[in-house]
Amino acid sequence: MSTAASTTVATGLAISHAHLTLGDGENTVKPLDDVSLSVSAGELVAVVGPSGAGKSSLLAVAGALTTPDAGTVTVNGTDLNALGRSAAARFRLENIGFVFQSGNLIPSLKAAEQLVLMHRMAGGDGGFDPLPLLAAVGMDHKAGSRPDQLSGGERQRVGIARALVNRPKLLLVDEPTAALDRRRSQEVVELLARETHEMGVATVMVTHDHDVLHHCDRVVEMVDGRLTS
Ligand SMILES: Nc1ncnc2c1ncn2[C@@H]1O[C@H](COP(=O)(O)OP(=O)(O)O)[C@@H](O)[C@H]1O
Ligand SMILES: [Mg+2]
C-alpha cells in the first residue's frame, strides 16, 4: 500500500486486547483481562491501582518479559510477540529501558560504570561518554560513586540515566518513588517527565503515589486486571 519512504512509523507503545493468566489449578489469576493501552512518543502515562491489580504484569508484557495469552504488543511498530527469545532480548536492550523501585544498580560499579556497562551490553563501542547523561539527571558530580555511597534518590536518578543510555523508544518504570521521601519523589518524577518529553520516549510509570500524578500527561487506573481511564 505504502512505500518505505512514505510509511508512517508507529511510535511508542500499543497494547491491544492483552490477556494474561498466571498460576495453575485453583490458584489461577488473570493479571491482565483484555487490556488495551497506547502511549505516544514523548508521553508520560501513569498507571495507578491497588496492589495485585496487575500493574507490574502490564509492564512485563509491555517490555517483552512476559508473553500474553492473547492480544498484541507493539513498540515503535515492532510486534513483540513475533520475536523469538533472543531477538526479544536484543530488542529489549536496544529499545526498552527499565527502572525499578530501588534503582537496581550493580553494587560494585561506580555510577559512570553502570551506564557504560549498559551501553556495552547493547553492542556499543568504547567511545561512549556517560557524563552528559549523568549531568542530565544531576549526577555528574557523583560519577565515581558506588551505589552504597549514594542516597536513595541519587540511586534512582542513576537508574533513570542508565535506562536512557541506549536511547530507548519505551521506558517502563515500576514504583520509582516507593523508597523515597516526598521531596525526592517529586524530583524523580519531575526528572522522568522532563526526559520523557525531551527524548521523545514513551514512558509508562506504575505508582502508588498520588502526589506525583500532576507531573504525568495522563493517568489510567488498573483494577482487577482491567484498565479504566
Ligand atoms: N508468577 C506468578 N504466578 C502466579 N501469580 C502471579 C505471578 N505474578 C503475579 N501474580 C499475581 O498476579 C496478580 C497481579 O500481580 P502484579 O501484576 O504484580 O500486580 P501489581 O503490580 O498491581 O501489584 C496478583 O494477584 C499476583 O499475586
Ligand atoms: Mg507491582
Side-chain angles (χ1 to χ4, degrees):
M1 225 184 83
S2 54
T3 65
S6 63
T7 299
T8 305
V9 176
T11 55
L13 169 70
I15 298 176
S16 178
H17 300 289
H19 293 256
L20 179 67
T21 308
L22 293 174
D24 40 37
E26 60 192 27
N27 297 319
T28 300
V29 293
K30 200 154 193 318
L32 300 182
D33 185 6
D34 199 34
V35 166
S36 296
L37 175 68
S38 292
V39 182
S40 305
E43 186 182 30
L44 172 57
V45 173
V47 180
V48 298
S51 181
K55 304 181 300 295
S56 293
S57 300
L58 177 70
L59 295 188
V61 161
L65 297 169
T66 303
T67 305
D69 310 330
T72 58
V73 182
T74 65
V75 175
N76 261 37
T78 296
D79 181 353
L80 299 188
N81 296 343
L83 300 174
R85 263 178 60 171
S86 70
R90 175 134 297 274
F91 186 85
R92 244 190 335 264
L93 266 175
E94 292 175 350
N95 297 282
I96 304 176
F98 294 89
V99 180
F100 299 104
Q101 175 173 329
S102 56
N104 270 70
L105 301 177
I106 297 167
S108 59
L109 295 185
K110 296 171 181 172
E113 294 168 343
Q114 309 274 345
L115 275 62
V116 170
L117 176 64
M118 189 54 86
H119 186 253
R120 289 268 172 82
M121 282 171 63
D125 58 25
F128 173 70
D129 179 4
L131 283 180
L133 206 40
L134 282 175
V137 300
M139 288 298 293
D140 46 328
H141 64 300
K142 296 284 179 79
S145 300
R146 287 190 311 273
D148 64 355
Q149 299 167 318
L150 301 173
S151 71
E154 289 174 336
R155 282 197 288 271
Q156 199 54 283
R157 283 191 276 157
V158 173
I160 291 168
R162 187 182 59 176
L164 294 171
V165 160
N166 297 318
R167 302 269 155 184
K169 306 294 186 286
L170 175 63
L171 186 60
L172 301 172
V173 188
D174 203 351
E175 310 260 12
T177 65
L180 304 182
D181 65 29
R182 196 168 185 285
R183 189 164 71 87
R184 300 288 180 221
S185 297
Q186 294 297 324
E187 287 177 5
V188 161
V189 178
E190 242 179 271
L191 171 67
L192 274 172
R194 197 185 72 215
E195 293 302 319
T196 296
H197 297 149
E198 285 183 1
M199 292 186 63
V201 55
T203 301
V204 185
M205 175 181 71
V206 165
T207 184
H208 270 107
D209 188 350
H210 285 256
D211 287 341
V212 302
L213 296 180
H214 62 284
H215 296 296
C216 303
D217 300 307
R218 190 152 52 95
V219 180
V220 296
E221 189 178 11
M222 193 153 201
V223 179
D224 287 339
R226 290 179 159 269
L227 276 188
T228 57
S229 278

